[in-house]
Amino acid sequence: MSTGSEGKKQAGVDYGTDLPKQSLFRFADLHVHTTDSDGSYTVREVLQNAVKLGIGYLSFTNHNIVRPDGKECKALSREYGIELIPGCEFSAQIDLGYKKKEIHVNGFWIDPKNPKIREVLAFNRNMDRAAYIKAYLEGLARLGIWLTDDKSRDLDLAYRQLVALHPESVHIGRQALAERMEQLGYCSREEAFHRYLGRRQDEEKMVYIRAEDYFSYAPLEQVIQAIRSCPGAISCLNHPYYQLDADHPDQMEQIIRQFAELGGDAMEVFYADYSRMQQIELMRCCREYGLLPSVGSDHHNDDLPLKQGEYQVYRRLYERHQEMLAADKKI
């Protein structure tokens, strides 16, 4: 495993973070979305809820956008008494040999002004999501689900109204579709994923559409290198059990191994509602491939509440962050 210090030549960014001290705010959640991408709550609404839950260490990881950035995180940290880590959930493409697949990687302590980060973000956000969303709308329409205010059979209108409901978002996707289905009384958001939009092996996937058929995100190696080019930044492989494939039972571990070999640092072990057995298996993979465990709820709305993750999980990531910063200063 790489220490992550190679190639990091630029000056460090002062995020105003000292060694965190445990307090009443003792929990951590390092995978949270807001209205800046496809979440239901604003940054401040999430922070207000986090304070109530005793969460003291948090990272906003919106899809392919860094918001709030380091300067904003520093100000919000003072205001709410929560340690905020500048983060982003990057979409990445991994080549498995038999197919190419989209995976997600969180970057912690990243600098949005870093040229390599800007390059990846520009590439990933320069995708025409309209065709992808309209394909979903067409699939739902075939099942009699029309996502217009008056349920009229107008797909173009359905798309325009969906976009209008998320004027600040740079990432309109399945979360927005699920919310719209609930709003129009077809089903709950949870049922929308389980019956129509889901991609997990235990879901029916009645309308599920592979993003890979519409997008070609930045290669995984480029994403990891971009994160590593930020002094002290850490890359984390997200929700690994999403990668289970009945036709390729070793796919999940293949992805974990390739991520580690490319210089990845961590992996979500304590994710959302993973079972104890799943956590044990992922901890085995962490030990085998030299990765640190991470914790995250993937909070978008009330269906995935904020996670009261163990402080020690965050502390180990923070200590690695400090080690990498020290190594960078020696270059």
Side-chain angles (χ1 to χ4, degrees), residues 6-10 66 90 110-124 218-219 221-230:
E6 301 170 17
K8 297 184 177 180
K9 305 276 186 193
Q10 67 179 67
V66 186
F90 295 90
I110 58 174
D111 177 10
K113 296 180 181 179
N114 177 287
K116 292 186 178 180
I117 292 292
R118 289 167 65 98
E119 183 179 353
V120 168
L121 293 178
F123 184 91
N124 281 352
E221 182 176 10
Q222 181 185 359
V223 171
I224 292 176
Q225 288 179 350
I227 293 171
R228 289 177 59 192
S229 69
C230 299

Side-chain angles (χ1 to χ4, degrees), residues 253 256 267 281-291:
E253 189 154 349
I256 295 171
M267 176 171 64
E281 172 62 13
L282 293 176
M283 283 301 295
R284 177 194 68 78
C285 290
C286 281
R287 288 192 294 271
E288 181 167 348
Y289 299 108
L291 300 171

Side-chain angles (χ1 to χ4, degrees), residues 285-303:
C285 290
C286 281
R287 288 192 294 271
E288 181 167 348
Y289 299 108
L291 300 171
L292 290 175
S294 185
V295 58
S297 63
D298 204 359
H299 174 61
H300 288 78
N301 48 55
D302 295 337
D303 294 336

